[in-house]
Amino acid sequence: MDERELEQRLRTAVEHAAPDPLDRILAACGPQAGTVLPFEAPKKKRRWAPLAVAAALVVMCCGAFGISSWRGANAVDSVVMLDVNPSLSMEVSAQERVLSVTPFNQDAETILGDMDLTGTDLDVAVNALIGSMLQNGYLSDIQNAILVSVENQDAAKSAQLQQHLTDTINSVFQGGSLEGAVLSQTVTESADLNALAQQYGISVGKASLIQEVIAQDSTLTFASLAPLSVNEIALIAESRHLATQSVTQTGTASTKAYITAEEAKNAALAHAGIAESSVAQLEIEFDSEDGLMVYEVEFYAGGTEYDYDINARTGEVVNFSREGGISGGTTGGSVTSGSSGSYIGEAAATAAALTHAGVSEADTAYLRCWVEHDDGRAECYEVEFLAGATEYQYEIDLYTGAVLKSERESHGVPASGSVPASGSSGVIGEAAAKSAALSHAGVSESDVSRIQVELDRDDGRTLYEVEFHVGRTEYSYEIDASSGAILKAEQELDD
């Protein structure tokens, strides 16, 4: 109803507020002689009775006040965001009534269940949500951190609501005998934060927290932190001594799900075969690899830099690298027991790759091995090393040590054996290219099947592409068309 319709209805009500009393008055006077002439007021000077006017004003004022009150009670005053791994936001009125709840991921939909929190008091809603998180295992003694973010145009009110919610959640934790950690902050929405939140399916509050963390440590990335829980992000920030004035924290994030830093250090040293007394500049801190929490262990020994990622839950060596003056060094030790105890271990995988390449570890200038994961599932060992002018890359089976794939790239090194001279066209010819590839692979032509040789150009360079199979193994070569040098060699198990 617009203002014009409201005014017309009020006018009609006033016009009928004082009915004509003539008939009632005549009846009370008894029989009368003569004729009663009704008095008609001049039409141009029609006036409303004072009481009627007052009544109309009261009705109009009450209506306007009622509309204003309704709008105020349903206007968004604050936005409150809760993040554990479930991520959601609530729009809240000035009276701290929940107007709407928006879940940002499947975990948030799980904790909401069939609860309809619209119209409930904010404290009641927060209690219900924390209770559901506890019941569904999202909050426990091993994942005990929650992030509270408040957005309000009034900075003082935002800070007050932030503190109030922190106290409320801490009370819920105490009632459930949980030693929780509450991270809280006030946020200001921006286009950049909104874009990041939508891209990663998280709240603007969690996006703001991640930005604060990576701003203090450039080795961390938004993509690596976004899938983590607030507990995990808090542990990474704490281990790296990152602090920000915009985020306050009560309590300590739990480490009960993980091995200790001391155990991670021992796992790395055992794998490297190095005594702790020989180690210098040792650093240990939390990190993540493809959503997996790891301890990053870095140290120097004998002029060599060692970098290890240790599975923070199991103690497994996820990946390692060493760089520097490697001389007579050894991968040494065995992989610590854990969920992948049946794997052959990084040492065995490295040895398999070196043996296949015909290279000794002492001849490598760079050597790295790690477990490659896909969607959280271990796929194979990846081994990379540099020997002379040749780079090697291997994929090794986790359980058998079989070479699943090998690739080597030589920078201008001629193929072994004699190379036929270039013909008048300036290329060695398909036969010579095939011979160079077979010689490098150490197989005879009678052993191969499905051999293909094609002349091609890549980055302005003329080369031969040679592909063939030996049993279930597929070989791929790139041969310099002018010199016969092996530019690239790959070997892969063909399923």
Side-chain angles (χ1 to χ4, degrees):
M1 180 187 304
D2 58 24
E3 293 184 2
R4 181 176 298 177
E5 291 176 339
L6 179 59
E7 182 180 348
Q8 182 60 43
R9 290 198 178 188
L10 289 172
R11 188 185 302 274
T12 302
V14 171
E15 289 176 349
H16 292 83
D20 187 356
L22 178 60
D23 292 338
R24 178 171 55 81
I25 294 173
L26 292 176
C29 294
Q32 301 293 320
T35 302
V36 177
L37 300 175
F39 175 78
E40 293 183 3
K43 292 183 179 180
K44 293 183 180 181
K45 297 183 180 181
R46 179 180 177 183
R47 297 180 180 178
W48 292 2
L51 289 178
V53 173
L57 291 175
V58 170
V59 172
M60 291 180 67
C61 291
C62 290
F65 177 77
I67 292 172
S68 175
S69 298
W70 181 88
R71 288 177 178 172
N74 289 274
V76 177
D77 184 64
S78 303
V79 177
V80 175
M81 290 156 274
L82 301 180
D83 290 276
V84 177
N85 190 45
S87 187
L88 58 85
S89 72
M90 293 179 285
E91 292 183 332
V92 182
S93 70
Q95 292 74 31
E96 295 189 4
R97 291 280 175 179
V98 176
L99 302 176
S100 67
V101 181
T102 302
F104 293 109
N105 54 18
Q106 183 62 48
D107 292 332
E109 293 178 0
T110 298
I111 66 165
L112 277 174
D114 57 358
M115 289 191 297
D116 183 5
L117 301 177
T118 304
T120 61
D121 182 79
L122 179 59
D123 283 354
V124 174
V126 169
N127 272 269
L129 291 170
I130 300 300
S132 183
M133 289 181 188
L134 290 167
Q135 184 178 3
N136 286 282
Y138 291 106
L139 283 171
S140 65
D141 59 346
I142 62 175
Q143 291 281 340
N144 69 338
I146 183 171
L147 172 66
V148 180
S149 307
V150 178
E151 180 184 349
N152 190 292
Q153 293 182 352
D154 186 334
K157 185 171 183 179
S158 185
Q160 181 181 4
L161 184 55
Q162 173 190 339
Q163 184 61 53
H164 173 71
L165 290 172
T166 298
D167 295 339
T168 299
I169 294 173
N170 276 324
S171 296
V172 178
F173 283 164
Q174 292 172 6
S177 301
L178 176 66
E179 295 181 1
V182 181
L183 287 72
S184 61
Q185 62 180 353
T186 60
V187 298
T188 301
E189 187 175 348
S190 68
D192 289 342
L193 280 178
N194 277 333
L196 288 169
Q198 291 178 8
Q199 179 181 353
Y200 292 97
I202 57 178
S203 73
V204 170
K206 187 174 180 181
S208 178
L209 172 66
I210 294 173
Q211 276 198 333
E212 288 283 345
V213 172
I214 64 179
Q216 299 174 69
D217 191 334
S218 59
T219 65
L220 298 171
T221 65
F222 202 102
S224 66
L225 297 182
L228 303 182
S229 68
V230 170
N231 193 89
E232 292 165 337
I233 295 174
L235 288 177
I236 290 175
E238 182 180 344
S239 72
R240 296 170 182 240
H241 308 290
L242 308 180
T244 172
Q245 294 181 350
S246 62
V247 180
T248 59
Q249 179 174 337
T250 62
T252 304
S254 175
T255 59
K256 292 183 179 180
Y258 311 111
I259 63 173
T260 64
E262 182 74 14
E263 291 170 322
K265 177 193 69 178
N266 292 337
L269 294 176
H271 186 274
I274 294 175
E276 187 172 359
S277 58
S278 304
V279 170
Q281 299 181 25
L282 176 67
E283 294 183 3
I284 306 175
E285 56 192 19
F286 272 114
D287 200 356
S288 68
E289 287 289 337
D290 298 326
L292 177 71
M293 284 292 285
V294 299
Y295 280 104
E296 192 175 79
V297 185
E298 298 179 358
F299 56 90
Y300 286 86
T304 300
E305 179 184 357
Y306 295 82
D307 294 316
Y308 276 85
D309 284 339
I310 306 296
N311 188 316
R313 290 182 179 270
T314 67
E316 172 194 358
V317 176
V318 176
N319 64 59
F320 76 92
S321 67
R322 61 188 71 180
E323 189 170 0
I326 302 175
S327 177
T330 173
T331 53
S334 58
V335 177
T336 54
S337 60
S339 61
S340 61
S342 57
Y343 298 169
I344 61 170
E346 281 78 7
T350 302
L354 292 171
T355 299
H356 186 275
V359 175
S360 67
E361 185 176 348
D363 295 331
T364 61
Y366 169 79
L367 176 64
R368 185 170 181 240
C369 177
W370 69 96
V371 176
E372 181 67 21
H373 289 79
D374 184 13
D375 292 333
R377 183 171 61 90
E379 292 286 325
C380 62
Y381 288 105
E382 292 271 2
V383 184
E384 294 180 354
F385 53 92
L386 177 67
T390 304
E391 298 177 28
Y392 297 82
Q393 293 183 335
Y394 278 84
E395 292 184 3
I396 306 296
D397 187 272
L398 291 166
Y399 302 95
T400 66
V403 176
L404 303 177
K405 182 178 180 180
S406 69
E407 179 179 341
R408 63 187 72 184
E409 187 169 356
S410 181
H411 303 282
V413 180
S416 59
S418 60
V419 177
S422 300
S424 58
S425 63
V427 296
I428 61 174
E430 292 186 1
K434 178 176 65 175
S435 176
L438 293 175
S439 176
H440 186 275
V443 299
S444 63
E445 189 169 356
S446 60
D447 296 327
V448 306
S449 61
R450 293 182 281 173
I451 188 166
Q452 294 179 340
V453 183
E454 293 182 1
L455 188 64
D456 197 2
R457 286 184 66 82
D458 186 18
D459 293 333
R461 192 173 196 172
T462 303
L463 52 86
Y464 284 101
E465 291 183 349
V466 183
E467 296 182 356
F468 55 88
H469 286 73
V470 178
R472 293 180 57 200
T473 303
E474 178 183 359
Y475 294 81
S476 301
Y477 279 86
E478 291 182 0
I479 311 292
D480 187 281
S482 299
S483 66
I486 305 294
L487 302 177
K488 188 175 183 180
E490 293 184 0
Q491 176 184 333
E492 184 174 6
L493 187 64
D494 188 354
D495 294 333

